[in-house]
Amino acid sequence: MKHNNTIQNVVIAGGGTAGWMAAAALSKLVGKNINVTLIESDEIATVGVGEATIPPIRTFHKLLGINEQEFMQATQASFKLGISFENWGQTNTQYIHSFGMTGKECWAGEFHHFWLHSLSLGLESEFGQYCYELQAAKQNKFAFSQQNPINYAFHMDASRYALFLREFTQQLGVTRREGKITHVNKCPDSGFINSLTLSDNSTIAGDFFIDCTGFRGLLIEQALHTGYEDWSHFLPCDSAIAVQTTAVDEDIKPYTRAIAHDAGWQWQIPLQQRVGNGLVYCSRYLADDQAKQLLLANIQGDTLTEPKIIKFKTGRRRKGWNKNCLALGLASGFVEPLESTSIHLIMSGIIRFMRLFPFNGITEQAVSEYNKQLKSEIENIRDFIVLHYKVTDRTDSEFWRHCNSMEIPDTLAHKISLFKHTGRVFLDDGDIFRVDSWVQVMLGQGIKPEQHHLIASLMSDAELTRFLSSIKQQITQRVAALPSHKAFLQQYCPTDLKQP
């Protein structure tokens, strides 16, 4: 495939987080060479529940020159240091997967080997005691400075984020067209998309199209028949219910809560003015009405929205880039938001596309490289999420018994086995989660490695004790000096309390 047309006119189908992130990045970073048009309809609601993020979003904002305080005020954002997993390994258990580095690494082995060696010597401690971000999260504290860096992301209002990016982007010259897309017009010879017809019969032509039409995949699937790889045999949850509530907690927690229940899990995302809540579940084990009752029985505060049911099929398009169309967001696939990766996948897809941008025409090599990298990235995310379901001691419901016995990808089975038998974790090229993350979750879910790297035993018992206690002491002192998360928010990016 070689499509020699110079790419000058890019048309984005759909708004929401995916559409406006793409428009913002292309107009800001490639804008002098291309024209960007975004089509969206005010009548079509966006899913709008991707409200928790991971740290790379800060890099994306820096690339765009977005002021962090302005962004946080506009989206009523709070800071996020990690995710609290409750009732996952067993009922009545809890651990935090944080964004921080745990301990200090050595050339021959990661910190967890030294920690594991200390346990074999009878020096009892929790792995999380050696992570600054994790300890700050547990105490609801937050602040940053050049002298005291901290690794963080955000909780934010997804609808407000799309509006913030829309305003930011329209100042850069992006054209917004209001309207519903009624037809995708293709070249009869090449099968490439030529233009989109709107409900008012107007036609918008383009050289390249970005599909941000959500689960429908209006361009990538309905027009180009790209195909979908179904992962529901690995991730059986197929439904979610979302609802917003007023904030009642005096503290604003700097972490997302993921609370497992008998047929899935519940999320709680604390913003400055409200809380985002949702229930993810498998409809084979829990009916929609029961799920709604379960969610409403386990929230605090007054509901601000009607509970919204979202049906999904976990998986991915067989190609994220097909002919002259790129799919982003829900149009490209869906992995449940257990590790807050939805917005990250949009962002990394945009960055990858810009690195391969087909200024002088589309080549098979660029398309192939994009799809290869996307496949590696999303499959590694899939494996990380499957890990939470598979590695569990829960057998108290039919759903968890199914997860216990289900087939998992060979790539994940290898990672679990390697860690269990040797204490080692090796990352694949497309893995966005570091060794720290894999270790925190595998330990948190209940895996106890049978071995650790013998490099840890080269340190004398006294040296090891001093090494560990100095890290713990330093973290304790740093956390003690932090203000509360809420106090820092009120000083750094206060939002108007009267805002809806």
Side-chain angles (χ1 to χ4, degrees):
M1 174 188 66
K2 178 75 169 77
H3 191 62
N4 292 312
N5 291 358
T6 302
I7 305 297
Q8 290 185 314
N9 297 301
V10 176
V11 178
I12 300 171
T17 303
W20 286 110
M21 283 181 80
L26 288 170
S27 57
K28 180 76 174 184
L29 303 172
V30 194
K32 291 179 182 175
N33 302 295
I34 60 172
N35 303 310
V36 180
T37 302
L38 185 145
I39 305 165
E40 71 175 343
S41 170
D42 289 333
E43 293 176 37
I44 299 175
T46 59
V47 173
V49 294
E51 302 200 319
T53 59
I54 58 177
I57 193 171
R58 290 160 46 211
T59 305
F60 183 73
H61 285 171
K62 281 177 184 171
L63 275 173
L64 296 182
I66 286 174
N67 179 285
E68 184 171 280
Q69 287 161 289
E70 289 176 6
F71 146 73
M72 292 189 73
Q73 286 176 322
T75 61
Q76 297 190 352
S78 63
F79 292 103
K80 175 183 172 183
L81 294 172
I83 305 169
S84 169
F85 288 97
E86 301 165 36
N87 304 331
W88 282 84
Q90 293 178 333
T91 50
N92 302 315
T93 59
Q94 185 258 354
Y95 70 92
I96 291 178
H97 167 209
S98 76
F99 297 141
M101 188 178 85
T102 306
K104 293 176 183 174
E105 290 188 4
C106 161
W107 66 270
E110 293 86 4
F111 172 78
H112 68 271
H113 293 288
F114 293 88
W115 175 76
L116 288 167
H117 184 58
S118 78
L119 295 185
S120 71
L121 299 174
L123 300 173
E124 288 298 323
S125 63
E126 290 180 14
F127 187 62
Q129 289 179 308
Y130 304 95
C131 178
Y132 172 52
E133 285 81 355
L134 194 152
Q135 292 304 311
K138 284 177 79 170
Q139 295 184 42
N140 292 331
K141 290 189 166 191
F142 185 89
F144 53 75
S145 65
Q146 285 186 330
Q147 299 76 29
N148 205 8
I150 194 166
N151 199 23
Y152 64 90
F154 310 102
H155 300 127
M156 64 185 183
D157 185 311
S159 299
R160 288 175 184 268
Y161 184 52
L163 290 172
F164 173 79
L165 289 177
R166 172 171 154 179
E167 192 174 305
F168 173 86
T169 302
Q170 288 184 288
Q171 292 171 358
L172 297 171
V174 169
T175 302
R176 177 188 180 271
R177 283 291 302 270
E178 163 68 30
K180 284 184 180 178
I181 299 165
T182 55
H183 198 261
V184 179
N185 308 300
K186 296 189 293 183
C187 169
D189 297 325
S190 66
F192 278 62
I193 299 171
N194 287 332
S195 63
L196 304 176
T197 301
L198 305 188
S199 53
D200 62 1
N201 291 323
S202 62
T203 298
I204 298 176
D207 305 309
F208 198 92
F209 295 81
I210 299 180
D211 189 342
C212 300
T213 62
F215 289 125
R216 294 180 300 154
L218 199 60
L219 282 61
I220 196 74
E221 194 59 56
Q222 293 185 31
L224 296 181
H225 312 296
T226 302
Y228 195 78
E229 189 176 305
D230 185 349
W231 290 341
S232 54
H233 55 298
F234 296 137
L235 290 163
C237 290
D238 59 4
S239 308
I241 302 179
V243 68
Q244 297 171 9
T245 57
T246 55
V248 295
D249 198 339
E250 266 306 301
D251 295 314
I252 301 174
K253 291 181 172 61
Y255 55 85
T256 306
R257 292 180 71 195
I259 308 153
H261 61 78
D262 285 353
W265 60 281
Q266 178 184 343
W267 76 73
Q268 286 184 6
I269 299 173
L271 278 64
Q272 289 195 49
Q273 308 294 334
R274 65 163 177 82
V275 177
N277 306 272
L279 198 82
V280 176
Y281 59 101
C282 178
S283 61
R284 288 203 305 267
Y285 302 102
L286 190 67
D288 293 344
D289 286 346
Q290 292 174 305
K292 182 177 173 182
Q293 288 171 9
L294 181 63
L295 175 61
L296 294 177
N298 287 281
I299 55 175
Q300 294 180 304
D302 300 324
T303 56
L304 298 170
T305 56
E306 281 296 311
K308 178 166 69 172
I309 295 178
I310 303 155
K311 294 292 181 180
F312 57 83
K313 183 186 287 183
T314 305
R316 68 175 187 92
R317 301 281 174 219
R318 296 194 179 276
K319 295 178 183 177
W321 182 347
N322 188 5
K323 300 187 183 293
N324 64 335
C325 177
L326 183 83
L328 291 173
L330 300 176
S332 72
F334 182 78
V335 182
E336 63 183 74
L338 184 59
E339 285 284 354
S340 310
T341 50
S342 302
I343 289 175
H344 177 83
L345 280 167
I346 297 168
M347 180 194 79
S348 63
I350 293 166
I351 299 296
R352 187 180 301 117
F353 175 62
M354 290 196 299
R355 285 176 171 164
L356 292 162
F357 196 89
F359 289 106
N360 299 314
I362 296 165
T363 64
E364 183 63 54
Q365 292 78 11
V367 174
S368 175
E369 183 62 27
Y370 180 95
N371 288 325
K372 184 181 110 180
Q373 289 187 27
L374 172 62
K375 179 177 186 290
S376 177
E377 180 179 53
I378 197 167
E379 285 182 355
N380 275 286
I381 290 172
R382 173 203 66 193
D383 285 5
F384 193 57
I385 292 172
V386 174
L387 169 68
H388 298 69
Y389 286 103
K390 176 65 177 179
V391 179
T392 178
D393 292 326
R394 288 194 63 164
T395 55
D396 55 307
S397 71
E398 201 177 341
F399 172 79
W400 288 109
R401 287 191 289 274
H402 166 76
C403 293
N404 237 311
S405 61
M406 72 180 175
E407 174 192 357
I408 62 172
D410 292 342
T411 44
L412 175 60
H414 172 70
K415 261 200 177 97
I416 292 171
S417 179
L418 185 68
F419 184 70
K420 183 177 180 181
H421 295 294
T422 73
R424 276 117 173 129
V425 178
F426 290 97
L427 301 181
D428 302 313
D429 289 344
D431 209 324
I432 66 167
F433 293 105
R434 302 173 313 175
V435 169
D436 264 293
S437 293
W438 282 93
V439 172
Q440 284 184 45
V441 173
M442 287 198 279
L443 289 173
Q445 293 290 132
I447 299 178
K448 293 176 181 172
E450 295 166 5
Q451 297 176 28
H452 56 269
H453 200 301
L454 288 181
I455 190 72
S457 62
L458 295 180
M459 208 180 257
S460 73
D461 295 359
E463 285 175 318
L464 182 62
T465 303
R466 282 197 300 273
F467 172 63
L468 294 176
S469 63
S470 70
I471 295 171
K472 223 185 322 187
Q473 187 178 4
Q474 187 182 37
I475 288 171
T476 301
Q477 289 171 347
R478 288 174 71 190
V479 172
L482 291 175
S484 74
H485 179 218
K486 187 173 185 178
F488 187 79
L489 284 169
Q490 289 172 341
Q491 169 253 312
Y492 183 71
C493 54
T495 57
D496 183 355
L497 290 172
K498 294 177 184 175
Q499 279 186 327

